[in-house]
Amino acid sequence: MRSTRRALTAVVSAAALLVASACGSGDDDESRATTVEVFTWWAEGGEKAGLDALVARFAADCAGQTFENGVVAGGAGINAKQVLDARLRQNDPPDTFQVHAGAELLDRIDAGQVADLTAAFDSWGLREALPDGLVEGLTVNGKIYSVPAGVHRANVVWTNDQVLSDAGILLPPKSLAEFVGNLKRLRAAGVESPLALGRDWTQLMLLEAVLLSELGPQRFTGLFTGTTPWTGTVVTKAIKDYGTILEYSNADRDSLDWPQAQRLLIDGKAGYQLMGDWAAAELTANSFAGYDTFVFPGNGTAFQWLADSFTLTTGAANPDGATCWLRTVASAPGQQAFNARKGSIPARTDAPTEGFTDYQIATAADWKSGLPVPSCAHGSACSQPWQNAANAALGAFSTSGDAGVLQSALAAAAKQFIRRQ
Ligand code: GAL
């Protein structure tokens, strides 16, 4: 299958994109591939439920095209991104791949691996339908290279209400200090690992949440634009507090992906988990309803956002089919179907909210009224090499506990990669 694709590989021109925006227009060309390989890391549970909903829309929208599941499991694309790298290097690209909106795509744009989607983006009315800030986040040198499917919030804490109430904790903590107090209280009540945590990138999420509490939204964002130094004393204090919180997490954190960490919460072995709001769909997939959520203590109205988006690879074997996939992703019904299952909110402001939970409705309101801040762990703030360096530094700290080394490594990563934003 892939070799047929490679034989058909051609660089996609802007003109081809416009032609392709009338889906299925090339059906009479027998030599054209009709399989669209969509590369994601949504392999199971709530993530797969979201993907399946999008695939059903694609089948209805793009007659004559067949979805091929190019999926590589592993939260936040930790494995998929490596496989994608290798495939792109070997000139074996999928037709379209999942990426986070923002800085994460910069290197692939520089390498000419993704097509300019500006003309299609405009013809589908996305410039009007998406919030201005998101369009800005997607724009690189005046061009658009990916189409967002939905927006997730990263800085959310998920609870096991039974575990908390057994320890006498009935309200969400209002500050970081109170949160640490609750972790201590849970431990004293016999909960060995009050905070469920997973591997490196989930640890980066936790550090980002702590940094956001201590620096505030503006100075937090400045860490990624160069206006806030990583060497400052507030960062030192945040790392110290992060280290304290880490002591209340499960000792096997470095070997767990996020759904396995979530399992600790579901099984009543932990009281809290910090995770993006894809956690809701996974909890539903596991039939667990005994939870609540709150924004990470001290984050105020900061909405740490990330947007799952799709690209068109320049080497796509089936650019017409892939463009039809993107058109489904971009459409209001596509976003309604996908986000209702995935737990995110539509990137479009005009998508119907039918089938959405109360949490999603409230999050959509927060997205409008809150202060948007980007995420490094999920690519809206950091380029991919920066993200990799930060993940590695957090993984090392998890074993060594050396705060000075962590701060130096994070400062060095910022210094090395900040020019690329
Ligand atoms: C994020 C992605 C989400 C979810 C999560 C866990 O990076 O944007 O959609 O899949 O990883 O895998």
Side-chain angles (χ1 to χ4, degrees), residues 29-60:
D29 179 356
E30 285 177 7
S31 68
R32 179 160 295 156
T34 54
T35 300
V36 182
E37 188 191 359
V38 179
F39 187 92
T40 72
W41 57 85
W42 295 329
E44 5 173 49
E47 299 187 324
K48 183 168 184 301
L51 178 62
D52 287 348
L54 207 46
V55 173
R57 288 293 329 169
F58 170 71

Side-chain angles (χ1 to χ4, degrees), residues 41 76-77 81 98-105 138 146 278 305-309 376-380 384 387:
W41 57 85
K81 288 171 177 178
Q98 175 190 358
V99 69
H100 294 116
E104 187 174 289
L105 197 55
L138 290 166
S146 68
W278 47 87
W305 69 274
L306 54 114
D308 287 312
S309 307
C376 179
H378 302 285
S380 41
Q384 191 59 55
Q387 213 180 106

Side-chain angles (χ1 to χ4, degrees), residues 120-132 135 347-350:
F121 187 88
D122 286 335
S123 76
W124 295 335
L126 285 177
R127 209 168 283 279
E128 295 76 43
L130 301 181
D132 291 346
V135 175
R348 298 180 69 112
T349 52
D350 60 351

Side-chain angles (χ1 to χ4, degrees), residues 310-337:
F310 285 90
T311 59
L312 171 61
T313 54
T314 45
N318 182 5
D320 286 5
T323 305
C324 202
W325 169 264
L326 295 178
R327 199 173 70 165
T328 295
V329 167
S331 69
Q335 298 214 345
Q336 184 271 330

